[in-house]
Amino acid sequence: MATPLPRDPIADARRNWEDSGWSTEAGPMAAITAIMRTQQILLARVEGILKPLGLTFARYELLALLSFTRNGKLPMNKASALLQVHPTSVTNAVDRLEKAGLVVRAPHPTDGRTTLIELTAEGRTVAKNATAALNSEVFSQSGFSSEDVDHMIRILADFRRHAGDFSG
C-alpha cells in the first residue's frame, strides 16, 4: 500500500475549480473524481484477493452469476445482459475460464443459435472459495458504516436509474 498523501488531492482540485470560477461544477467534479478513485481502491483490493485464484473481477462476476443459477448454466447473451457488459467481454471471459477448466460451452437444447455457458465442478468450487475470501477480506471489512452503505446504495441506484441503467 502506498504512503498516504499529506492532503486530499480531490479537495485541492475542488478548490482549484472554485478559484477558476467553476463553483457550480466544483462539487460534482469532486464527487465524481472521489467515486472513480474509490473504485480504483476497491478494485485493487478485490483483485488482490482474486489474483491468487487465477481470476479477475470480470471473470469472478461471471462465475458468481453462474453459481446463482438453478443449474449452473446460462445463455451467453443472457449473461452479457445481466452483467451489463458487451458480448465480446463475455466471450473473452468464457475463453479464459474455459481454458482454466472452470466453465464449458454447451449447445442450447432447443435453440441451435444459442450457446450456453456451464459451470464445471471445479468452477463451482473456485466461485465458492472466491466468494468466501471476498466476503471475509473485503465485503465484511469495506471501511463503510452500515448507514453509509445504505445511503450509497440509494444514491447510486437513483443515479443509475436516471442514467437509464434500469427502469424498476
Side-chain angles (χ1 to χ4, degrees):
M1 187 166 170
T3 303
L5 297 172
R7 294 193 335 243
D8 181 357
I10 296 172
D12 290 346
R14 181 177 184 168
R15 281 189 295 282
N16 289 335
W17 242 250
E18 290 167 345
D19 292 347
S20 295
W22 303 316
S23 295
T24 303
E25 296 87 354
M29 177 282 301
I32 290 167
T33 303
I35 290 168
M36 294 173 80
R37 177 61 186 138
T38 302
Q39 187 266 349
Q40 292 171 338
I41 293 166
L42 293 173
L43 186 59
R45 287 176 62 193
V46 166
E47 297 223 335
I49 301 299
L50 296 175
K51 188 174 183 178
L53 299 171
L55 297 175
T56 62
F57 188 61
R59 289 181 221 147
Y60 166 74
E61 283 185 302
L62 182 54
L63 288 180
L65 177 64
L66 291 169
S67 74
F68 286 121
T69 64
R70 275 191 304 269
N71 57 9
K73 43 180 120 162
L74 273 177
M76 286 186 67
N77 59 349
K78 176 88 170 189
S80 174
L82 291 171
L83 294 172
Q84 298 178 295
V85 297
H86 194 274
T88 303
S89 297
V90 171
T91 299
N92 185 351
V94 170
D95 289 346
R96 303 280 176 120
L97 292 169
E98 195 170 36
K99 280 182 187 167
L102 305 178
V103 301
V104 294
R105 286 178 169 92
H108 192 283
T110 60
D111 183 353
R113 300 165 296 162
T114 300
T115 299
L116 297 175
I117 313 163
E118 186 172 346
L119 202 54
T120 65
E122 184 180 354
R124 189 170 297 283
T125 298
V126 169
K128 182 180 175 184
N129 292 341
T131 301
L134 288 171
N135 280 340
S136 79
E137 298 178 46
V138 178
F139 302 141
S140 68
Q141 301 176 48
S142 70
F144 302 113
S145 71
S146 296
E147 185 177 292
D148 286 346
V149 167
D150 291 340
H151 289 304
M152 280 191 292
I153 290 169
R154 182 187 51 75
I155 290 165
L156 296 173
D158 286 347
F159 174 86
R160 292 174 39 241
R161 185 179 306 106
H162 294 327
D165 207 29
F166 64 97
S167 61

